[in-house]
Amino acid sequence: LPGATPLTLTYAWFFGFWWGLLLVSFASTAGATTAFLVTRYLLGARIQARFAAQLRVFNESFDREGAFYLFSLRLIPAVPFFVINAAMGLTRIRVRTFWWVSQLGMLPGTVAYVYAGSTVPSLQQLAEQGASSIVSWQLIVAFVILGCLPLVIKRLLPLCQTAWRKKSVTAKTT
């Protein structure tokens, strides 16, 4: 559902960093998996059957490296998550794989947003110090991390892909 960012910031503000991280991380993955399953069971089989010839090469490629593709999409915020959830429901990726890859792939962004939300002062502090107390060095750090995260991930992704391919080649030969 839309509104994940305000909810994440609110939960982190209310529950604090660690409880907020636990709640948001598992709730967002549960929501993503639910959307994935709805798409899979409403449309997945029909799409796969209707476009079987066109999807053959895609499915073969996705069977080999689908988890890595999903992980990459989760790390790079260029594609909205609701689109990823729906699109993955049309593939043959296993539900368990979708869940754990989504959990790990969404974690860096979740940590950054939860940290940002946990740095917002309490209502008492806001009443005493005014709205200017919202901006703190911790909040600035959180947004710098959010801004740099896609750049860092873009640099690390080719390294992860190389390692992933080596792992899958090793697994196939043993």
Side-chain angles (χ1 to χ4, degrees), residues 52-172:
Q54 296 90 334
L55 291 173
R56 186 183 56 76
V57 173
F58 172 80
N59 283 331
E60 289 170 1
S61 175
F62 210 82
D63 289 345
R64 280 190 315 276
E65 297 190 47
F68 181 76
Y69 294 148
L70 175 58
F71 186 70
S72 301
L73 289 170
R74 290 291 190 206
L75 288 173
I76 300 171
V79 181
F81 283 171
F82 74 89
V83 173
I84 295 169
N85 301 336
M88 290 296 137
L90 300 175
T91 69
R92 299 188 310 202
I93 193 169
R94 292 176 27 210
V95 176
R96 183 178 7 183
T97 302
F98 177 84
W99 184 87
W100 74 259
V101 170
S102 294
Q103 186 74 37
L104 287 176
M106 292 189 292
L107 193 57
T110 301
V111 167
Y113 277 104
V114 169
Y115 179 73
S118 69
T119 65
V120 175
S122 68
L123 290 177
Q124 183 178 354
Q125 287 174 310
L126 284 172
E128 292 171 0
Q129 299 170 3
S132 64
S133 65
I134 292 175
V135 178
S136 65
W137 68 269
Q138 294 100 332
L139 186 64
I140 293 169
V141 167
F143 284 115
V144 167
I145 291 169
L146 277 171
C148 292
L149 192 60
L151 301 172
V152 171
I153 289 169
K154 184 178 177 182
R155 294 266 187 200
L156 293 176
L157 219 45
L159 300 172
C160 293
Q161 187 174 22
T162 302
W164 190 282
R165 285 190 175 146
K166 285 180 182 177
K167 178 186 163 236
S168 64
V169 167
T170 305
K172 287 180 184 177

